[in-house]
Amino acid sequence: MTDKDNIMIEEFFKQAAQQQIEDNGFTERVMMNLPETSQERVRRLSRLWTLFCGVVGIVLFFVLGGWQIAQGLFYGGLRMMLGWLEVFMVTAPTTEFSVNPWVVVLVLAFVLVFLPYQIARKLYVIQ
């Protein structure tokens, strides 16, 4: 097709797009009376399957002792972090460049506690 044909087609569709036809709610009534499509059925079954698997997963988590494992992982990580912090506080003053360990701890606390709090607060206000 040439540019002239493209221009003519665009003009035709511009005119057609400007026309408005009143249907007095006919389209909505037709859409409400259409039978359920297979895609909607698949989506509903998918949601039910997801809900079923989630419930089974939560039940298995508690029945098989997942809470104790998660608690052990948390406490192990906490002990490791406190051990790292203790080593850092002891060895930081002995480095070649002067580092005040308390400043590092305060900056770390700021990043890990205050900033997430501020972000969560701002997100809550926006919603």
Side-chain angles (χ1 to χ4, degrees):
M1 291 202 309
T2 63
D3 289 334
K4 184 178 178 183
D5 292 336
N6 286 338
I7 293 172
M8 289 176 59
I9 290 172
E10 286 177 14
E11 287 296 322
F12 175 75
F13 283 116
K14 277 184 189 177
Q15 293 172 359
Q18 292 174 355
Q19 294 179 356
Q20 298 229 350
I21 300 172
E22 288 293 324
D23 66 352
N24 297 323
F26 175 75
T27 305
E28 287 82 14
R29 290 192 306 269
V30 169
M31 294 302 288
M32 294 300 287
N33 291 322
L34 287 176
E36 183 181 27
T37 63
S38 64
Q39 184 178 8
E40 292 169 357
R41 185 171 184 265
V42 168
R43 185 177 294 130
R44 187 176 65 238
L45 289 174
S46 173
R47 287 181 182 155
L48 287 173
W49 180 250
T50 302
L51 179 66
F52 172 75
C53 289
V55 169
V56 168
I58 290 170
V59 168
L60 287 176
F61 177 78
F62 285 106
V63 168
L64 298 177
W67 183 252
Q68 287 81 15
I69 294 171
Q71 194 175 21
L73 287 172
F74 174 74
Y75 286 132
L78 185 63
R79 283 190 201 109
M80 187 173 59
M81 187 180 73
L82 290 175
W84 171 83
L85 189 60
E86 180 183 7
V87 169
F88 175 75
M89 295 292 281
V90 169
T91 59
T94 63
T95 58
E96 293 177 8
F97 56 94
S98 62
V99 175
N100 187 346
W102 290 108
V103 171
V104 174
V105 170
L106 289 175
V107 168
L108 191 64
F110 177 77
V111 169
L112 293 177
V113 176
F114 185 72
L115 288 180
Y117 167 74
Q118 288 295 324
I119 291 170
R121 198 185 73 168
K122 286 180 183 177
L123 289 176
Y124 180 74
V125 169
I126 290 173
Q127 295 174 356

